[in-house]
Amino acid sequence: MPDLPDPGGRLPVALAYPGAPRAALSALGWQAVYRLAGQSPWLVVERFFLSAGNSVPRSQDSSSPLDAFPLAAFSLGYELDGSVLTSALSASSVPLLASQRPGFPILLGGGPLAFLNPAPLAPILDAWFVGEAEAGFVPALERAAEMILAGADKPSVLSMLAALPGFYVPGRSALPVKRVVAPGGRVLADPVCSSFVSHEAEFKDTLLMEVNRGCPHSCRFCAAGFVYRPPRQARMADLRAIVEQTRPKKVGLVGTALTDWKELPEFLRWLSSEKVKFTLSSVRADGVTESLLDILRNAGLRTLTLALEGQSARIRKKANKNLDEDVFLRAVELAAKRGVNHLKTYLIVGWPGEEDADYDELARFLAEVVKAGKVGGGKKGIGHMTLGVNPLVPKPWTPMQWAPMAGAAYLEDRLERMAAMVKPLRGVRLEGEKPSWARVQGLLARGGEDLAELIIAAGEIGWRKALREWSGDVSAVLDRERGRDEPFPWECIDIGVGRETLWREWERYRSGKRTPKCPEQGCGLCEACP
């Protein structure tokens, strides 16, 4: 390995993000690891931003190459990150398969892919941390640093990691590896916030703050609602302390169920009194009130994001998206009266069992939304509306893990129908993900270790050509309903919500039966809550 600047008796660690700096600077998980590891006297952490291509990745801090570091940790949030990872390793002359690297470096994976499905990248990475960074990741790195600096070899360090809670070391760990969770019970005791506030970030000059983690509403398509159990809320005092310490000009509040946080209005009023601007991620329609919109209007916020998800009441009931159409329309009407200029909403296509009648109902409902919000009608209404449409990708650790994924031709047809539906609606614009890319995402989300070959090829020649040359069967992974007892590649880990719980929810999807939201004290119906 090339020489590094003198680390002063500490272990050099590469902390890599597969993506552009603007994305990394808005990725809270990656920044949380950087903040925690940067406080350790055992570690020298240097940042890497990886991109596809042949350029050699270099540290943002010392310009050292990636292969100079005895330990590299990769934050992996999206299925397509794998090809960026392998491309960076290849450019760095690091052997791509763990079996080809008997010596250092140790390559660690973490982030959402670690506790959704690490199998496709398991032959490539040496180890995974399955859990939340606050739950022991940095102490484990410190133990590794102590061993490496004392002269231990790679197999000894990997054996040590395999014995620790939350570490999945393929071929060494006892399976399944249980996901580890930060202490605090139902309280988000250490809410994550941005380590960097930059004009170059995706959210420019904004301190991002985590308000809650997980969601009590148990929508059957949403991995966050099942993986992050129990749902946790931050304390307002902790968030205020962060703002008072950092004194940002703007705050972005991040969470899956912001309006479930009872202290949200009070906190927003406090931010306004401190002359701190703010933005919100998507909110539930049933949490939109006149008082909340007054706060947003007075703060100058002109965009409101409401999640719709399903085309019809029938589909939303099956998905457990408990949304009252009248409540949604009332929220839109209030938004128009309170000066909201841009309404965003999201929709999923390709639900198992969806029918033409569901889209007929959607056409009628969108017309009602446009009417309620006076969209495109001038100063007295909402200026414009964006309808974001994405194909359903049945994710691991959700009830949809048994479901087939809709085919590309079917999804294209549905998107064309949506485009025709929106065309006569003044002020409404349609945005959508390409079905072909959604299918690739689905393949990587649901596949096993045999996909490592495809991922490596994609890093070398691109996804389209790699898929054409791949000898595997995409249809076998995506186009069939799974059997109740069929084993899944991702069951090398245990997120804390068992198969029986998820199967019960899949049966309720098929029968259209709703499930109540998670109670604040737990209900005992799944294993995740203490």
Side-chain angles (χ1 to χ4, degrees), residues 208-233:
L208 299 178
M209 301 174 63
E210 186 182 30
V211 170
N212 51 32
R213 190 178 298 175
C215 180
H217 295 281
S218 302
C219 296
R220 295 181 177 125
F221 59 91
C222 179
F226 290 93
V227 169
Y228 292 110
R229 288 193 175 184
R232 287 157 282 171
Q233 302 277 1

Side-chain angles (χ1 to χ4, degrees), residues 344-362:
K344 292 182 178 180
T345 189
Y346 297 99
L347 199 70
I348 295 172
V349 297
W351 295 96
E354 69 179 27
E355 301 170 357
D356 286 344
D358 299 308
Y359 287 83
D360 294 338
E361 181 176 325
L362 175 64

Side-chain angles (χ1 to χ4, degrees), residues 33-44:
V33 174
Y34 181 82
R35 174 176 61 86
L36 293 170
Q39 297 170 356
S40 170
W42 282 96
L43 309 172
V44 176

Side-chain angles (χ1 to χ4, degrees), residues 127-138:
W128 295 81
F129 182 67
V130 185
E132 299 172 349
E134 309 95 320
F137 182 60
V138 172

